[in-house]
Amino acid sequence: MNIESMRGYKMIQKANLLRANNLYPFFRSIEDSEGTVVQVDGIDQIMIGSNNYLGLTHHPHVVESAIKAIEKYGTGCTGSRFLNGNLSIHEELEDRLATYVGHEKALVFSTGMQTNLGSISAICGPKDCLIFDSENHASLIDSSRLALGPTFKYKHNNMESLEQVLAENVNRFNNVWIVTDGVFSMTGELALLPEVVELAEKYGAHIYNDDAHGIGVMGKKGSGTLDHFDIVDRVALNMGTFSKSFASIGGVVTGSADMIDYIKHTARSFMFSASMAPSAVATVAACLDVIEEDNTLHERLWNNVAMMRNGFKEIGFYTYNSQTPIIPIFIGDEMKALMVTNFLKDNGVFATPVLPPAVPKGEALIRTSYMASHSSAELTKVLEVLNMAKKEFDIPATLH
Ligand SMILES: Cc1ncc(COP(=O)(O)O)c(C=O)c1O
């Protein structure tokens, strides 16, 4: 086999170069975790690189519920929902999630990626089309590759560009789907959903919102970006993942009863893949219990986010248009981003860089994100280390 001729070989060359220079920042092996603190190479690090926004991965009720589900149902379902893997707790969870988001019905998948792959390929047949924000998540891009209809892109969060693409295409297709991230996962920016809804209604298009980073976080009790903008009834389909605020793995799509039944019987990543493990289902249900019962959860999250946002302002970082617990730090030079990541690690802070091609060349950043469970002592230490990094590496205060 000739690996060198393969499409991704340049990535391997780059990884080898970084490994040789002790700058490789990926696949760090976590030996132990308490949620906000993890151990790498035997050293404690404060985690500011995860999506555990509500900090529920180690919550006693959540852990106990997962264990009880294993005891009752076993460790796996060993089959698709469609055939032998459909548990009553899958259906109970779907009812709760539909109510939580505010849509009629919900369908849970085994991962968020599978939710997008299955739902989008199901709703976009050969006579339909997709209209994508240019910064949509990789799982949406791969979903568009499975769809039978074409995909057109509009400039990121640019409503003039979206209107132009809509005007050019609405009369050429049966169903036109505008697909966007609700929260953009690298910059923490929100999609301009109220404006997107206005345009969709003007041109008779439908919306698919990927709320992977919004569910659990935005809106009342974290029910998502649709609630945040008060547009729940005006968006046809909304997806969320359980790999972030819901402390587990899996995904959900919500919408009208007809649409969800259609996806249930046509989404191949749903029908031809084993169902969510019982422990994961129980984890998500237990997270919903905590969200319902703990009135301080979101207050703690947003207080932590405010502390970090203010701290970053004082230090003088450029943090894009972040309006969520994801707060990126613009670094610029790729090598500098890698050295800053190493510096953070050496000083007990776990954060990850985002490098080209995930961001444009010269726009490397460090993606940081915060949890309801971070203590103010932990966040104070993070700010101290970042302040040292700012001076050591002359991190810019503006985008260019
Ligand atoms: C915006 C977005 N959509 C979908 C996914 C896929 O979710 P999962 O990790 O549950 O497969 C992710 C995960 O990174 C994401 O950030």
Side-chain angles (χ1 to χ4, degrees):
M1 191 194 312
N2 182 1
I3 297 182
E4 288 173 25
S5 69
M6 290 182 179
R7 199 165 62 103
Y9 188 66
K10 270 198 181 135
M11 296 298 241
I12 302 302
Q13 283 176 310
K14 191 167 172 181
N16 285 339
L17 190 69
L18 294 180
R19 284 190 195 110
N21 288 288
N22 204 20
L23 282 171
Y24 184 71
F26 305 117
F27 296 100
R28 273 177 264 172
S29 185
I30 295 173
E31 294 136 12
D32 204 349
S33 170
E34 292 162 22
T36 57
V37 177
V38 297
Q39 246 186 31
V40 178
D41 296 332
I43 297 165
D44 281 353
Q45 311 225 318
I46 301 170
M47 172 56 86
I48 58 162
S50 97
N51 303 301
N52 188 10
Y53 305 119
L54 298 179
L56 296 178
T57 50
H58 294 65
H59 189 287
H61 172 62
V62 175
V63 172
E64 193 192 330
S65 302
I67 292 169
K68 277 194 180 148
I70 291 182
E71 285 167 356
K72 183 162 179 191
Y73 299 99
T75 51
C77 296
T78 66
S80 154
R81 297 275 303 279
F82 178 47
L83 299 170
N84 64 306
N86 191 38
L87 302 178
S88 55
I89 54 172
H90 287 120
E91 293 176 352
E92 283 159 25
L93 179 64
E94 286 170 346
D95 288 345
R96 286 184 77 178
L97 286 165
T99 306
Y100 183 58
V101 174
H103 277 163
E104 209 176 357
K105 283 279 177 195
L107 186 69
V108 298
F109 289 65
S110 300
T111 68
M113 174 116 179
Q114 281 175 270
T115 311
N116 280 338
L117 293 175
S119 304
I120 288 184
S121 56
I123 61 176
C124 183
K127 293 187 177 156
D128 307 315
C129 79
L130 303 168
I131 298 185
F132 266 41
D133 184 288
S134 61
E135 290 190 9
N136 275 354
H137 187 257
S139 61
L140 293 171
I141 294 169
D142 284 5
S143 304
S144 73
R145 292 176 180 150
L146 286 179
L148 294 178
T151 301
F152 306 100
K153 282 192 183 167
Y154 61 95
K155 288 186 198 142
H156 174 54
N157 258 350
N158 182 323
M159 294 303 111
E160 266 174 39
S161 171
L162 171 58
E163 180 150 22
Q164 194 182 336
V165 179
L166 279 166
E168 282 165 10
N169 291 295
V170 275
N171 294 327
R172 301 172 51 219
F173 297 94
N174 280 353
N175 293 297
V176 172
W177 286 94
I178 302 171
V179 180
T180 181
D181 287 21
V183 174
F184 289 90
S185 54
M186 293 300 129
T187 59
E189 254 180 306
L190 293 175
L192 301 180
L193 280 168
E195 288 88 339
V196 173
V197 166
E198 291 294 331
L199 286 175
E201 288 171 356
K202 179 171 169 190
Y203 286 92
H206 318 288
I207 298 174
Y208 182 102
N209 181 48
D210 177 333
D211 216 20
H213 297 268
I215 197 164
V217 171
M218 303 303 299
K220 280 186 293 300
K221 294 236 165 209
S223 61
T225 48
L226 302 190
D227 180 66
H228 171 80
F229 287 122
D230 197 15
I231 49 169
V232 175
D233 295 338
R234 299 166 76 188
V235 169
L237 290 170
N238 188 67
M239 76 75 70
T241 59
F242 308 140
S243 59
K244 309 187 194 302
S245 291
F246 287 95
S248 184
I249 189 153
V252 62
V253 62
T254 62
S256 68
D258 286 351
M259 276 306 301
I260 295 303
D261 201 39
Y262 175 77
I263 292 172
K264 192 171 180 174
H265 291 89
T266 49
R268 295 169 70 81
S269 67
F270 175 80
M271 296 176 76
F272 303 108
S273 186
S275 58
M276 263 179 97
S279 55
V281 178
T283 297
V284 179
C287 288
L288 285 171
D289 296 341
V290 177
I291 289 170
E292 275 165 21
E293 282 157 27
D294 183 349
N295 290 324
T296 66
L297 189 64
H298 286 94
E299 194 180 311
R300 280 185 279 127
L301 172 66
W302 290 110
N303 284 345
N304 282 346
V305 172
M307 175 177 171
M308 297 313 285
R309 220 181 274 295
N310 293 336
F312 283 12
K313 215 180 207 172
E314 266 174 43
I315 295 173
F317 288 136
Y318 178 76
T319 57
Y320 295 75
N321 279 328
S322 163
Q323 291 146 283
T324 64
I326 303 164
I327 316 183
I329 299 172
F330 172 70
I331 306 287
D333 179 64
E334 188 173 342
M335 204 46 74
K336 194 187 271 191
L338 291 163
M339 291 193 297
V340 173
T341 307
N342 257 5
F343 179 88
L344 299 182
K345 182 185 80 181
D346 293 343
N347 285 282
V349 176
F350 186 119
T352 47
V354 184
L355 309 173
V359 284
K361 211 167 182 310
E363 293 189 15
L365 55 89
I366 308 271
R367 179 191 187 273
T368 78
S369 56
Y370 300 95
M371 309 181 202
S373 51
H374 274 125
S375 68
S376 66
E378 286 165 346
L379 296 183
T380 303
K381 161 134 194 233
V382 171
L383 286 173
E384 279 165 15
V385 174
L386 285 169
N387 202 8
M388 291 192 307
K390 161 90 179 166
K391 291 177 186 141
E392 178 91 15
F393 297 95
D394 194 21
I395 297 172
T398 54
L399 188 54
H400 281 294

